[in-house]
Amino acid sequence: MWSRAVEFIAPGVAAKRERAKTEIVRQRAIQQVFNQGYGDHGGSHKKKAMLTWNPAAGDAEDDIHENLEQLRPRARDLFMGGALANGAIKTLRTNVIGTGLRLKPNFDADFLGLSDEKVSELRKQIEREFSLWADSKECDASGLHNFYELQQLAFLSWMMSGDAFVLLPLLPRHHTVYDLRVRLLEADRCSNPTTQERGLYGKLSSGVEVDNDGMVVAYWFSDRHPGSSLGLPTKWQRVQVIGEKSGRRNVLHLMEAERPEQRRGVPILAPVIEALKQLERYTEAELMAAVISGMFTVFIESPDLDQDQFGLGAPLDNPTGEPLPTGNDDLKLGNGAVQFLNPGEKATIANPGRPNTAFDPFVIAILRQVGASLEIPYELLLKHFTASYSASRAALLEAWKMFRMRRSWMSADFCQPIYEEWFVEAVIKGRIDAPGIFDDPLLFKAYTKAEWHGPSQGQLDPVKEANAAVIRVENGFSTRQREAAELTGSEFESNVRQLAYEKKIRDQYGLTADRRVMKGGEEEDGKEDQT
């Protein structure tokens, strides 16, 4: 009745009331939808904690590529000036690459139909020829590094900048057998030219050109670094990934993708840049406060600096050797310094209360989060092992999962493609005999199959680690070759040859074979007869 009366007396008011009812019903319906499933949790539109958190959903181009010009310089600045960032990246470099990933030819002898003698001969020949190229600095286009030093440089650039590029030109030089060269380019050199061709619109992103199917077909490189101080015009060159006529690989791109359709890599420090920078500032502030707290300065106030203050007959000089203030000089704290004040001036000393006892626990708490993002346990990040053997070993094992993963990527994306290009040149020049390698892709893969071994993990308890290796080998869970590489970074076959030689020498000079064998953590007398 009331609604009808209002509608008869004031139809405008009745219309407003009806619209308000409709809006209330609509809002209740929306809330019912949003409060279902994730709408009542992470996707909530009504919780106060979520009201102001509305990030935009962008593609890899908007979220990643558009921000790389800020991320790269900041990550490099942290590496150059921040002890923690520098230590984190170098820890990765040392454990993943170390002195270099070494070639171990592992060609498919069964498929190739090679006898044991031929296998041993071919393996030695490949290792000898590859060492001739890899150990020389001639493998570097700039002539500065050998192959193993190039590995660590490429990896450092990859971690700092998010990606790195490798060109593989053929550059003949005097007094060299092989023409293959490795040329490293920093990530900033790959960029969009200032004047793009109309046909490349939508197919060129951050210097990476793709075809209609989304496959990367070429990269655009500038002739100099965009941050170079030289005021010369920049030119770009298009380099195809695979040569049209030769079919050889021209460019290697080292990067870690985190999203589909991502063409460029993100610096590994990107998620923790703000935390590391703030921690660096906090550390500098604490250090300065500690320095100020450790200073002792005497302040002297005199009504007239020209009078004899202590009855010595002459004005007193500053024991520090510095001239007396004239009224505008800045006062400075120092170790045992004496500062004179002008008449009427007072010196108020602020006690900074340093060193701060809460500094170390707070820094460790932040570094735990940083280590979680970088997949480096904070014990390894700080090189600070004070926990139990089990805890320290668990931290190292967790870190080595990541180290092996990155080593595998480095082997697959850098070492193996370069090795295959070198192998082709060695076969063409008749340095290595590999019949039919260009006739069948299976033959090519069978000949060029290889393993890349890096530095060993190391042992907290060498006896336990060695006994565990023996058990794995005896039960077929591993091989002597793999265990030798992982425990000591050595090669099993070379070890056996060296041991045989050493035994021969010992027998030649009549040395006793007094040795002890570790078994089950206990010492047992060696079973070998004494000479």
Side-chain angles (χ1 to χ4, degrees):
M1 288 293 292
W2 173 251
S3 299
R4 291 181 179 179
V6 171
E7 183 178 357
F8 179 77
I9 299 174
V13 175
K16 291 182 179 180
R17 294 184 68 223
E18 191 64 27
R19 287 196 298 269
K21 289 181 180 180
T22 304
E23 180 64 20
I24 291 174
V25 172
R26 190 178 72 85
Q27 290 294 338
R28 287 178 179 177
I30 292 175
Q31 289 182 3
Q32 289 179 356
V33 173
F34 284 149
N35 289 348
Q36 293 179 356
Y38 286 109
D40 200 29
H41 303 283
S44 175
H45 286 256
K46 68 174 185 177
K47 289 185 176 181
K48 293 183 178 180
M50 298 292 181
L51 285 178
T52 59
W53 187 17
N54 299 299
D59 57 8
E61 177 72 23
D62 296 330
D63 291 348
I64 296 177
H65 300 167
E66 294 297 330
N67 297 303
L68 289 177
E69 291 187 1
Q70 287 292 337
L71 290 176
R72 290 194 199 113
R74 289 174 178 173
R76 291 178 195 143
D77 184 71
L78 283 174
F79 176 82
M80 291 184 287
L84 294 173
N86 185 283
I89 293 181
K90 286 186 175 180
T91 296
L92 285 169
R93 185 273 314 272
T94 301
N95 287 275
V96 174
I97 305 298
T99 57
L101 305 183
R102 303 284 170 168
L103 169 68
K104 180 63 178 177
N106 191 29
F107 43 83
D108 193 341
D110 294 335
F111 179 76
L112 297 174
L114 301 177
S115 63
D116 293 342
E117 294 182 357
K118 184 62 177 178
V119 167
S120 178
E121 179 182 350
L122 182 58
R123 179 178 289 114
K124 292 179 182 179
Q125 183 184 9
I126 293 175
E127 292 176 348
R128 189 180 299 112
E129 289 290 332
F130 186 76
S131 178
L132 175 65
W133 178 81
D135 293 343
S136 172
K137 293 184 179 181
E138 294 297 334
C139 68
D140 182 11
S142 62
L144 297 175
H145 310 284
N146 61 27
F147 182 62
Y148 308 105
E149 294 167 343
L150 286 171
Q151 291 178 23
Q152 66 88 22
L153 180 59
F155 186 81
L156 276 180
S157 181
W158 175 11
M159 293 297 101
M160 269 193 290
S161 303
D163 51 8
F165 295 89
V166 185
L167 302 183
L168 302 176
L170 296 175
L171 303 175
R173 290 175 180 170
H174 295 294
H175 311 296
T176 58
V177 177
Y178 295 100
D179 300 333
L180 178 65
R181 308 286 179 244
V182 178
R183 184 182 181 188
L184 298 181
L185 295 180
E186 206 163 29
D188 309 67
R189 294 278 299 274
C190 183
S191 59
N192 290 348
T194 53
T195 56
Q196 298 183 17
E197 298 181 10
R198 182 174 300 179
L200 295 178
Y201 182 76
K203 297 182 181 180
L204 188 60
S205 174
S206 299
V208 182
E209 181 184 339
V210 299
D211 59 12
N212 295 328
D213 298 325
M215 180 178 178
V216 177
V217 294
Y219 294 92
W220 291 76
F221 297 105
S222 58
D223 59 349
R224 60 186 179 90
H225 194 281
S228 175
S229 58
L230 298 177
L232 300 176
T234 303
K235 298 179 181 179
W236 278 263
Q237 181 179 359
R238 180 179 182 268
V239 181
Q240 291 181 317
V241 177
I242 304 295
E244 291 183 358
K245 296 182 179 180
S246 64
R248 66 185 300 270
R249 182 171 291 273
N250 296 320
V251 185
L252 303 179
H253 187 187
L254 306 179
M255 64 166 285
E256 177 184 352
E258 58 187 38
R259 295 182 60 178
E261 299 182 351
Q262 178 183 342
R263 310 302 180 196
R264 300 300 302 272
V266 181
I268 192 173
L269 297 178
V272 293
I273 282 179
E274 183 179 1
L276 288 175
K277 187 59 180 179
Q278 296 288 54
L279 196 58
E280 180 185 341
R281 291 169 175 166
Y282 173 56
T283 303
E284 291 176 354
E286 286 291 332
L287 179 60
M288 180 57 66
V291 171
I292 294 175
S293 179
M295 291 181 177
F296 178 77
T297 302
V298 176
F299 293 93
I300 298 177
E301 181 182 0
S302 173
D304 189 357
L305 292 176
D306 295 331
Q307 296 181 359
D308 183 1
Q309 302 163 352
F310 296 96
L312 299 178
L316 181 65
D317 293 331
N318 192 338
T320 62
E322 299 179 357
L324 300 179
T326 61
N328 296 326
D329 292 350
D330 293 333
L331 296 178
K332 298 179 181 180
L333 296 177
N335 298 324
V338 176
Q339 293 283 353
F340 290 91
L341 302 178
N342 291 316
E345 294 181 344
K346 296 290 184 181
T348 301
I349 306 299
N351 181 18
R354 294 300 187 274
N356 184 5
T357 57
F359 174 77
D360 195 58
F362 175 75
V363 170
I364 290 179
I366 299 299
L367 290 181
R368 290 180 189 272
Q369 302 177 35
V370 172
S373 175
L374 301 179
E375 296 183 276
I376 304 177
Y378 87 98
E379 296 95 340
L380 186 58
L381 189 63
L382 297 179
K383 309 298 188 295
H384 184 66
F385 297 93
T386 58
S388 63
Y389 167 81
S390 300
S392 298
R393 176 169 172 76
L396 287 176
L397 289 176
E398 191 65 26
W400 268 88
K401 293 179 183 178
M402 180 266 295
F403 294 149
R404 288 194 178 95
M405 175 186 68
R406 296 193 179 278
R407 181 179 295 178
S408 176
W409 292 347
M410 189 68 182
S411 301
D413 297 342
F414 183 85
C415 299
Q416 184 65 26
I418 294 177
Y419 169 66
E420 292 176 0
E421 291 297 324
W422 168 87
F423 198 95
V424 168
E425 184 180 359
V427 172
I428 292 176
K429 291 188 173 183
R431 308 285 297 189
I432 294 178
D433 185 21
I437 188 174
F438 302 117
D439 299 334
D440 189 343
L442 280 178
L443 288 174
F444 182 86
K445 184 177 181 180
Y447 273 114
T448 58
K449 185 179 179 182
E451 294 180 357
W452 298 89
H453 297 302
S456 62
Q457 177 178 340
Q459 304 93 36
L460 294 178
D461 190 331
V463 175
K464 292 182 179 179
E465 298 288 348
N467 287 330
V470 172
I471 294 174
R472 286 194 293 267
V473 171
E474 290 180 348
N475 290 276
F477 301 143
S478 183
T479 63
R480 289 178 172 85
Q481 176 179 318
R482 183 176 298 278
E483 294 299 331
E486 293 185 355
L487 285 178
T488 62
S490 61
E491 183 182 3
F492 174 73
E493 186 175 350
S494 299
N495 292 344
V496 172
R497 288 199 300 264
Q498 182 64 24
L499 287 173
Y501 173 75
E502 292 177 0
K503 183 179 183 302
K504 178 181 178 181
I505 295 298
R506 289 174 63 87
D507 293 342
Q508 180 180 348
Y509 289 95
L511 297 179
T512 58
D514 184 12
R515 63 187 179 89
R516 293 188 176 274
V517 182
M518 299 303 300
K519 187 175 182 180
E522 299 179 354
E523 289 189 358
E524 290 187 356
D525 292 333
K527 304 302 182 182
E528 184 176 342
D529 295 335
Q530 294 185 352
T531 304

